[in-house]
Amino acid sequence: MFKQIFIAIIIGSFLGLSLTTAYFYSKNKNNPSPPPVENTTTEEEKTEEQNTNKQEENNSDVQENISTIFLDIFTPENESIVEKENLSISGKTNPNNVIVINTLNDTFHTVSKESGEFDIEISLEPGINILHFTAISSDDTQIEKEILVTYSTAKI
Amino acid sequence: MKKYILFIITTALLFNTTQILAQTPTPETKDEDIQKIRETVQQKVSEKLQQMENKTINKKISIIGTITKIEEDIITIERKNMSRSIKIDDETIIVNNRKTTIKNEDLTTGQNIIAMGYKDNSQVLLAKRIVFIEKKDTQIDKIVTIGNVVDVSQSSPVFVLIPHKNKEIQYQITIDNKKTKIVNKEKQKITSKEIKAGSKLIVSISPTPENNKNYIANYIIVLN
């Protein structure tokens, strides 16, 4: 009896494993994996590729330098109308940049903090005030922005 | 014998790997949830947009430029190659150079104006007040640059600066003792004696009316 059971287990296992193997074999045959791509680049092509990579690196360095300096003015908003002579200006640029603000009749300056934020209070002329901002970074690159602020107490 | 065959089949089935299909979630429930989330997000976004729109509409703004076109109640102004539309009505107050109020019909092309009012939904300025201005009031001719002093005159308050961004240019800059402000980076006032050959400066300069090659210093920041 035990002998028969043992033989039955062996035959059953063999059949089960055979079916599984056959199933996976047929499945793989239907969806063959792509053959590995052979690296056929020649030495010349490799050198060209390296040069291109170097050029790309250099270009990205230049782009980085160009785009490094930034200047955002948070307040006041461009084209805003204010009713007070004194105006608080706040913004953000690179750390330790010198920010020069030119108006028609005056010039002011401040230096941004380590966080890049800056604020300064200036006095406005009645009417139109064109505020011309120039931020200068430690590597002497400059960026400029201009906003219009109108100081008027007229009823609008 | 039957038992024997049954046992073989059972064992074979046990060893056979079969694909177990997980119960797929009911798509209807999922779709309903997604729809609910979408609706909530849409509602929140539209509320925020409405708030922002109201805030923009109710904000006073001012724009400047030269009148290029007048059409009934819409005038077009231009500044720095950018055109803007302004809507005027009978309530719009227009003030000329002599500070007297004029009629809408007295507006002419070529006139420089500042228009103050509120923006409508189509971003057109509904002008409440228009004032004539001089073009010179809208242009700042000051140059800001960083550079090094290469020469300082011993006989007059004049020095020569070469900007770092273009070393082929030389600015001959005059210090006006009454107008020019000279400070260090910390905004402390200093005298023109601190400006020596080799000094690194940030200058705000304007061309002199007499000679475009000479500049007058408005503001000097001595960096070292």
Side-chain angles (χ1 to χ4, degrees), chain A residues 47-84:
Chain A
T47 323
E48 256 180 51
E49 212 170 278
Q50 278 172 354
N51 287 340
T52 319
N53 286 344
K54 271 182 190 173
Q55 261 183 343
E56 274 170 15
E57 271 172 30
N58 288 339
N59 286 346
S60 68
D61 279 351
V62 172
Q63 277 171 353
E64 212 172 282
N65 280 338
I66 291 165
S67 60
T68 332
I69 190 161
F70 72 97
L71 176 63
D72 292 330
I73 312 298
F74 300 149
T75 58
E77 276 182 44
N78 186 28
E79 300 179 341
S80 56
I81 300 174
V82 296
E83 292 173 0
K84 285 178 186 171

Side-chain angles (χ1 to χ4, degrees), chain B residues 37-71:
Chain B
I37 293 165
R38 271 188 194 151
E39 279 169 11
T40 318
V41 170
Q42 273 173 357
Q43 198 182 333
K44 291 276 175 198
V45 169
S46 59
E47 278 173 17
K48 278 279 167 198
L49 281 172
Q50 191 63 43
Q51 279 175 9
M52 283 165 73
E53 211 170 276
N54 290 341
K55 209 177 167 185
T56 314
I57 290 166
N58 296 328
K59 198 177 277 180
K60 288 189 287 187
I61 66 151
S62 60
I63 58 174
I64 56 173
T66 311
I67 299 175
T68 54
K69 200 161 54 172
I70 304 169
E71 291 172 317

Side-chain angles (χ1 to χ4, degrees), chain B residues 20-35:
Chain B
I20 298 162
L21 298 171
Q23 191 186 2
T24 49
T26 48
E28 281 173 19
T29 323
K30 207 179 173 185
D31 285 351
E32 274 174 21
D33 288 347
I34 290 168
Q35 196 56 37

Side-chain angles (χ1 to χ4, degrees), chain B residues 12 34 51 55 74 77 82 88 91 120 136 146 155 221:
Chain B
I34 290 168
Q51 279 175 9
K55 209 177 167 185
I74 299 282
I77 63 164
M82 207 174 112
I88 53 171
E91 289 176 12
D120 69 5
K136 64 177 174 60
I146 184 166
S155 55
I221 306 164

Side-chain angles (χ1 to χ4, degrees), chain B residues 56-117:
Chain B
T56 314
I57 290 166
N58 296 328
K59 198 177 277 180
K60 288 189 287 187
I61 66 151
S62 60
I63 58 174
I64 56 173
T66 311
I67 299 175
T68 54
K69 200 161 54 172
I70 304 169
E71 291 172 317
E72 288 184 27
D73 59 343
I74 299 282
I75 59 172
T76 310
I77 63 164
E78 199 177 292
R79 183 171 185 252
K80 291 185 175 177
N81 297 323
M82 207 174 112
S83 288
R84 306 281 290 269
S85 296
I86 301 164
K87 196 171 184 178
I88 53 171
D89 57 26
D90 295 338
E91 289 176 12
T92 308
I93 297 164
I94 303 169
V95 182
N96 68 7
N97 290 331
R98 292 173 191 168
K99 294 188 177 178
T100 52
T101 309
I102 58 167
K103 290 175 186 173
N104 294 359
E105 297 82 51
D106 297 330
L107 284 170
T108 53
T109 54
Q111 180 62 52
N112 293 295
I113 59 158
I114 176 168
M116 293 173 265

